[in-house]
Amino acid sequence: TTTHVWRFGYGSNIGLTTLKQKKNLHPLKYVAGTISGWELCFTKAMAYVEPGFAAVRASPPDDSVLHGTAFLIPQEEADGLDRQEGGYNVLPCEFTSYDGETIQGVGLYVPKKPNIIQDPTALPSLRYLRLLQNGAREACLDKEWIKKLDCYEYYVTPPEIRAQTKQWIAEFLADSEHNQVSWTSEQLTKYNGRNDDFPSHSSVMEYIIQLPSDIWVFPSWKGHNVTRRNLLQFNGKSLDTGDIRFGQEGYRPLPKIADYSEEEQEFVWQNLESLLHRGGRIVARLKDFMDDQEEEN
């Protein structure tokens, strides 16, 4: 018999669509309601692209309640979700549905770092905030809670950050020694950091970025063009099934960036900035990506 356990979604895990399509979960039950004694806040995450992720901090039970959804999933799926939410502990709490049903032992994701203080720089990205807003509407959460989510500010790239990004690109393109250097995806895939002779590189749009040894990136980014992955992420699609790597069927054509919305393109630019502004350096361009931009639809 499969064991099922409860988890509570208040951030990216609110919406049933996201749980099924993005997180590949199979909830047996899904209920909207509240947990008392906790309030929503945002904690620092990934600078330049996802500066703030949802978190909770303790508050007097009479002062605040946390709105969200409780979902019942197989233990194996819960274990996987807990690993994804690695910066959080799972705290069993009492959940009350909007219909008045009480469920004990619902797992609340509480930041491992105690005493979370709301940091004004820990703004959610537009992508992330929409997950909360859309999930809240899908779950029919309390109207006042939805209004609260709609009033949150989201991260907008400061003009000086974008100007510096474009300056680095212009400097690379003006460097006659390097601006003609192009790699294929097959070359890029070797630079995954597993061998000292092939230090970690990643690629966003046409730009291939050499990563400093002290920079943290998702392992999946190394030796890979992440443009498709960024677009899947923005649109709440499964990365496990949709992010096609070199050598897998469907890798080409790479995304034609002009076909995407301004908001989608902006998110890709922010992902590029998350590498460059943490010490990454443009060293070449990806031939496959450039070729696919020129293909007729």
Side-chain angles (χ1 to χ4, degrees), residues 194-230:
R194 297 174 187 167
N195 185 317
D196 290 342
D197 293 332
F198 297 97
S200 295
H201 287 61
S202 188
S203 175
V204 183
M205 295 182 287
E206 67 189 78
Y207 305 108
I208 294 175
I209 314 298
Q210 182 175 346
L211 306 176
S213 59
D214 60 346
I215 188 177
W216 181 88
V217 299
F218 292 105
S220 56
W221 283 42
K222 297 178 180 180
H224 184 44
N225 182 280
V226 297
T227 308
R228 179 184 284 118
R229 188 179 185 88
N230 295 160

Side-chain angles (χ1 to χ4, degrees), residues 62-116:
D62 295 337
D63 290 351
S64 62
V65 291
L66 181 68
H67 292 253
T69 55
F71 47 93
L72 187 64
I73 54 176
Q75 181 68 63
E76 184 178 357
E77 291 186 1
D79 292 341
L81 185 61
D82 295 348
R83 287 191 293 271
Q84 290 180 31
E85 305 290 355
Y88 302 79
N89 291 319
V90 180
L91 180 69
C93 291
E94 180 180 276
F95 167 87
T96 304
S97 75
Y98 288 155
D99 293 332
E101 178 188 6
T102 298
I103 303 173
Q104 302 293 336
V106 175
L108 174 67
Y109 287 109
V110 178
K112 290 180 177 179
K113 294 181 180 179
N115 303 319
I116 290 290

Side-chain angles (χ1 to χ4, degrees), residues 34-241:
T34 61
I35 292 178
S36 297
W38 296 90
E39 63 179 348
L40 179 68
C41 62
F42 288 89
T43 185
K44 277 190 173 182
M46 300 170 60
Y48 307 106
V49 60
E50 300 277 11
F53 284 153
V56 292
R57 56 187 174 192
S59 63
D62 295 337
D63 290 351
S64 62
V65 291
L66 181 68
H67 292 253
T69 55
F71 47 93
L72 187 64
I73 54 176
Q75 181 68 63
E76 184 178 357
E77 291 186 1
D79 292 341
L81 185 61
D82 295 348
R83 287 191 293 271
Q84 290 180 31
E85 305 290 355
Y88 302 79
N89 291 319
V90 180
L91 180 69
C93 291
E94 180 180 276
F95 167 87
T96 304
S97 75
Y98 288 155
D99 293 332
E101 178 188 6
T102 298
I103 303 173
Q104 302 293 336
V106 175
L108 174 67
Y109 287 109
V110 178
K112 290 180 177 179
K113 294 181 180 179
N115 303 319
I116 290 290
I117 298 174
Q118 181 67 56
D119 187 327
T121 66
L123 295 175
S125 68
L126 174 62
R127 177 203 74 84
Y128 187 80
L129 184 58
R130 279 187 179 163
L131 279 179
L132 275 67
Q133 295 167 340
N134 294 339
R137 286 182 166 84
E138 180 184 15
C140 297
L141 294 190
D142 179 79
K143 291 182 179 179
E144 290 303 314
W145 188 260
I146 292 175
K147 286 181 182 178
K148 176 180 177 178
L149 294 178
D150 287 344
C151 289
Y152 272 111
E153 183 182 359
Y154 61 85
Y155 173 73
V156 176
T157 302
E160 63 272 17
I161 295 296
R162 183 56 47 82
Q164 179 64 75
T165 302
K166 291 184 175 181
Q167 181 179 333
W168 282 328
I169 291 173
E171 289 172 354
F172 169 77
L173 295 176
D175 182 352
S176 59
E177 185 177 347
H178 297 99
N179 62 13
Q180 296 302 313
V181 178
S182 64
W183 293 10
T184 64
S185 296
E186 184 175 9
Q187 287 175 281
L188 174 62
T189 195
K190 297 176 182 177
Y191 286 82
N192 55 23
R194 297 174 187 167
N195 185 317
D196 290 342
D197 293 332
F198 297 97
S200 295
H201 287 61
S202 188
S203 175
V204 183
M205 295 182 287
E206 67 189 78
Y207 305 108
I208 294 175
I209 314 298
Q210 182 175 346
L211 306 176
S213 59
D214 60 346
I215 188 177
W216 181 88
V217 299
F218 292 105
S220 56
W221 283 42
K222 297 178 180 180
H224 184 44
N225 182 280
V226 297
T227 308
R228 179 184 284 118
R229 188 179 185 88
N230 295 160
L231 292 166
L232 289 167
Q233 178 84 349
F234 184 84
N235 289 298
K237 305 299 183 182
S238 172
L239 303 183
D240 292 337
T241 58

